[in-house]
């Protein structure tokens, strides 16, 4: 009887050890997979005259939007554009106007990829557009607050989030608080231009 109990106890211990090792292996594999995915997601730096903002983009969720943004960046389209609309407690928008408030000519509009997978949370980057869902071109905005009203399904098609700030959120906050005025019929334009010097892919 004692031998039988001891034998059963040994079997249970072995099984628990195997289960524990399997769980540890699963955790390691899951973490490795997450790390590998993070490393494959493109990263970009927005360099402005107020400082730098770094972003991690999400082509796995918004592939058309990310490729559109990266193509504008590769073409140097953003260089010399400004953050032309900034609202504290809401967002900072740029990528379409030069320092003298001349609108740059963008490429064709893209499909709206707004998704509940990527909501408009503080620190995310999303595409600006008109009332028409599929009208986004080059202009983008960085949320400086949680903007639930901009999410897909809340008040319509929503605004497509395609990445998040990984460094320099303080710069975005600083930009959102600069003094603004109405310029050429547009409200919330910084009095002192906030210039996007470049947007480049980080190796």
């Amino acid at each position: 009887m004692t031998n039988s109990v001891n034998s059963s106890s040994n079997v249970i211990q072995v099984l628990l050890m195997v289960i524990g090792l399997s769980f540890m292996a699963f955790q390691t594999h899951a973490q490795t997979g997450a790390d590998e995915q993070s490393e494959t997601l493109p990263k970009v730096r927005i360099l402005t005259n107020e400082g730098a903002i770094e972003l991690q983009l999400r082509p796995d969720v918004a592939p058309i939007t990310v490729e559109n943004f990266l193509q504008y960046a590769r073409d140097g389209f953003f260089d010399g554009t400004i953050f032309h609309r900034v609202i504290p407690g809401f967002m900072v928008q740029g990528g379409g106007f030069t320092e003298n408030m001349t609108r740059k000519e963008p490429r064709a509009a893209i499909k709206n990829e707004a998704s509940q997978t990527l909501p408009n949370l503080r620190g995310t980057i999303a595409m600006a557009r008109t009332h028409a869902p599929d009208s986004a071109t080059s202009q983008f905005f960085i949320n400086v607050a949680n903007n639930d009203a901009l999410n897909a399904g809340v008040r319509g098609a929503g605004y497509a989030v395609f990445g998040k700030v990984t460094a320099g959120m303080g710069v975005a906050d600083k930009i959102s608080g600069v003094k603004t005025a109405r310029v050429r019929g547009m409200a919330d334009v910084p009095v002192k231009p906030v210039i996007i010097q470049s947007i480049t892919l980080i190796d």
Side-chain angles (χ1 to χ4, degrees), residues 85-103:
R85 182 173 178 240
V86 306
I87 303 175
F90 183 36
M91 58 90 224
V92 297
Q93 179 177 336
F97 289 84
T98 62
E99 189 175 346
N100 62 4
M101 290 301 291
T102 298
R103 185 190 295 271

Side-chain angles (χ1 to χ4, degrees), residues 9-60:
S9 177
N10 289 339
V11 170
I12 291 171
Q13 287 179 349
V14 170
L15 286 172
L16 288 173
M17 185 179 296
V18 170
I19 292 170
L21 290 172
S22 297
F23 180 69
M24 289 173 64
F26 173 78
Q27 283 187 312
T28 301
H29 176 74
Q31 183 60 48
T32 300
D35 291 343
E36 287 177 353
Q37 181 188 34
S38 178
E39 288 177 3
T40 59
L41 297 177
K43 300 177 180 67
V44 299
R45 179 182 292 110
I46 302 176
L47 182 62
T48 80
N49 59 337
E50 296 291 346
I53 302 169
E54 293 186 2
L55 307 164
Q56 185 177 68
L57 307 184
R58 292 292 303 274
D60 55 320

Side-chain angles (χ1 to χ4, degrees), residues 150-187:
L150 303 182
N151 293 335
V154 176
R155 294 181 181 174
Y159 292 77
V161 172
F162 61 100
K164 66 178 181 180
V165 174
T166 55
M169 191 61 202
V171 175
D173 288 330
K174 180 181 178 182
I175 293 171
S176 74
V178 301
K179 185 178 180 180
T180 61
R182 180 173 289 274
V183 179
R184 297 189 180 183
M186 292 180 60

